[in-house]
Amino acid sequence: MQFLKSVFAGLLFALSMPSGTGASDLYRQHKISPKVFIVSMFPPEAQIWHNIPEFNLLAHNITLPGLSPLFPSIHCTPSYEICQLITGEGEINAAATLSALTLSPTFNLTSTYFLLAGIAGISPEIGPTASVTFARFAVQVALQYEFDAREIPANMSTGYLPQGSTSTAATGQFPGDIYGTEVFELNAALRRVAAQFATNATLADSRAAREYRALYAGAPGGLYDNATGSPRVIECDTSTSDVYFSGRRLGEAFANTTRAWTGGKGVYCTSQQEDNASLEVLLRGAVGGLVDFSRIVVMRTGSDFDRPHLGETAQENLFGAEEQGAFEPAVENLYRAGIRVVEGILGDWEGRFERGIRAGNYIGDVLGTLGGKPDFGPQAGNVKRAMKGRSRR
């Protein structure tokens, strides 16, 4: 009820404004205007930012309608320059929480940088656990047709086919039926800047993680050579799936999906459960002038490998994830790398970040919602035709 009262009060105020006063101007008045908003998905990711020497994130606690009942408060620094929330895990929680934030009359997010910072599974083909990754593409890999593993056709290595397919030979193609959330492309220039900031961090590691990573050495053709080094900063891309998957074949299949759906530009390296949902909300907010989609950083740290080494099974890899020894350093590195990004943005706010980092690439979704044509997938006209495809059932 209080939220509705606030909305109606804003509408009445807007009607009373002089002619020529835009809604965006109204929105900016008397709002909390963070420079950086840290988005965490569950408590360990959030708590690593609390009681740190750089800032007091718990100075202000703000409760909004529509936030997760488990995590009903937003935390901000004394100046409100930095804020943070916990969405809750999974796509639905992420979308619901960020919708509540984006539409809240409490905040002005038009100049805010969003740091989506969480842990993820990581491919041993790309990097070691506890590494810090920054994505240009987020791909909703589970938005496909799926056969039960016991009924997979003989000519398929996994049970996944792009939606709209009429043949099992369509594996690895772009979907024929489009929902619009399959792929998001972020500001590549901002990603490079954020990754450069993060390289100034001393990354955490553990003895258990190093010992486990060593088990990936010696794979044929050096397949997993990248898995055995020390944690590092990597620019590579992320996959979204509510299903927590494990196994070499699924990892390879979703790497192929990432390449196919990004026109060969995407490099799959991490698996998580929220980012495409979060990005869809922020994109819709950008359409309404509430956020700037060019100011989003997706940072994921590798808490476990998405597939087993040659001496174990996919089941052992999944149920033994805690034994990989990377959960604690991965969480720690959210802070160690992330604080460098936050400080970098704040430290050069007036000189560089207030006006924004110009994106030299396309940014947005597969539909071209924010303008321009995606440099991945079919052209805009084909996307629109694909959306007229057959129904769900």
Side-chain angles (χ1 to χ4, degrees), residues 23-264:
S24 60
D25 295 326
L26 170 64
Y27 182 77
R28 290 181 176 88
Q29 296 177 17
H30 309 299
K31 309 290 183 181
I32 297 173
S33 302
K35 293 177 180 176
V36 177
F37 214 117
I38 301 167
V39 178
S40 306
M41 275 52 76
F42 76 128
E45 296 170 347
Q47 291 162 358
I48 197 65
W49 293 95
H50 300 167
N51 301 312
I52 61 176
E54 289 82 2
F55 51 74
N56 176 14
L57 197 57
L58 302 178
H60 300 290
N61 299 320
I62 303 164
T63 300
L64 297 180
L67 297 184
S68 168
L70 296 176
F71 316 110
S73 296
I74 292 169
H75 305 296
C76 297
T77 57
S79 65
Y80 294 100
E81 285 191 324
I82 308 166
C83 293
Q84 178 202 44
L85 56 68
I86 303 176
T87 64
E89 295 172 270
E91 293 178 78
I92 293 174
N93 280 322
T97 295
L98 285 180
S99 292
L101 169 66
T102 304
L103 297 175
S104 169
T106 302
F107 286 90
N108 166 25
L109 304 171
T110 54
S111 297
T112 300
Y113 286 85
F114 288 89
L115 177 60
L116 277 56
I119 61 173
I122 189 168
S123 168
E125 293 187 14
I126 305 300
T129 50
S131 290
V132 181
T133 71
F134 292 89
R136 172 177 172 178
F137 294 99
V139 181
Q140 194 177 10
V141 295
L143 193 54
Q144 302 191 63
Y145 295 151
E146 182 183 6
F147 296 104
D148 185 282
R150 294 161 294 187
E151 301 174 292
I152 295 174
N155 65 335
M156 294 178 62
S157 60
T158 67
Y160 284 91
L161 280 173
Q163 291 196 137
S165 303
T166 58
S167 167
T168 55
T171 300
Q173 297 179 10
F174 200 90
D177 290 347
I178 301 295
Y179 286 5
T181 60
E182 288 82 358
V183 184
F184 292 95
E185 184 170 357
L186 301 176
N187 185 338
L190 177 61
R191 174 176 79 153
R192 286 192 296 273
V193 170
Q196 186 59 48
F197 285 147
T199 60
N200 295 319
T202 300
L203 299 182
D205 201 2
S206 73
R207 178 178 177 180
R210 289 191 294 271
E211 291 176 350
Y212 186 83
R213 291 196 295 262
L215 299 174
Y216 284 77
L223 181 63
Y224 297 149
D225 283 355
N226 287 330
T228 59
S230 298
R232 61 183 183 273
V233 175
I234 309 172
E235 295 182 34
C236 55
D237 301 302
T238 194
S239 71
T240 299
S241 171
D242 269 334
V243 176
Y244 193 124
F245 63 87
S246 171
R248 178 179 58 81
R249 290 192 175 186
L250 283 177
E252 291 176 352
F254 292 146
N256 292 335
T257 298
T258 299
R259 281 192 294 271
W261 291 11
T262 60

